Amino acid sequence: MQLTSENKLKNLIIVGDRLLIKLKKPNQKTSSGLYLPPGVQEKEKVQQGYIIKAGPGYPIPLPVENDEPWKDPSEDVKYIPLQAKEGDLAVFLLNGAYEVIYEGEKYYIVPQSAILMLEREEEL
């Protein structure tokens, strides 16, 4: 299979309550007009980026029922879905994130608990 820009992230599976985030391009200039050197804003404690992929959520433990031993145990795991969705702009804590480089691009894997705020473009 040939990797293209459309399908290169298709085979990635994000596990549990984690999110794959690509940082938003930082402003090179401050509000007062000073130009910042590269890497200054990457060290900030709070970052923002777009959610590329989201995990299934928090797994719910299966109830233990031994009253019918002839039944086949099903391995259907159920999840509590995440509040964050693909395409949202997330503001998150950098110290809770893990930096990964995939196919030459930098991404962050962030747990749902490190997300401070989401911005979603939906019609109300």
Side-chain angles (χ1 to χ4, degrees):
M1 182 172 142
Q2 189 78 9
L3 283 179
T4 64
S5 61
E6 292 86 31
N7 70 357
K8 74 176 186 177
L9 297 173
K10 183 178 178 182
N11 293 332
L12 286 181
I13 298 172
I14 305 301
V15 180
D17 70 328
R18 292 172 182 86
L19 305 159
L20 184 69
I21 295 180
K22 183 164 178 70
L23 285 184
K24 184 178 173 185
K25 297 282 183 200
N27 292 333
Q28 301 296 328
K29 191 165 60 167
T30 64
S31 59
S32 62
L34 296 174
Y35 284 95
L36 297 172
V40 169
Q41 288 191 337
E42 290 181 6
K43 295 177 182 152
E44 293 287 327
K45 291 182 181 181
V46 177
Q47 292 287 338
Q48 61 180 341
Y50 291 100
I51 297 174
I52 305 298
K53 291 196 86 155
Y58 299 99
I60 300 173
L62 296 172
V64 178
E65 296 178 4
N66 290 335
D67 59 343
E68 300 173 348
W70 63 87
K71 284 188 175 179
D72 290 332
S74 64
E75 293 296 323
D76 295 333
V77 179
K78 298 196 184 318
Y79 294 94
I80 297 173
L82 299 177
Q83 190 173 8
K85 296 180 181 176
E86 294 178 11
D88 290 350
L89 177 65
V91 177
F92 63 94
L93 293 172
L94 190 59
N95 64 354
Y98 296 97
E99 180 181 321
V100 294
I101 296 179
Y102 181 73
E103 295 294 324
E105 294 202 36
K106 188 189 302 186
Y107 298 97
Y108 286 91
I109 296 178
V110 181
Q112 170 90 10
S113 60
I115 302 291
L116 300 174
M117 182 174 65
L118 294 170
E119 180 181 323
R120 184 173 298 152
E121 295 189 20
E122 277 187 359
E123 296 294 324
L124 297 177

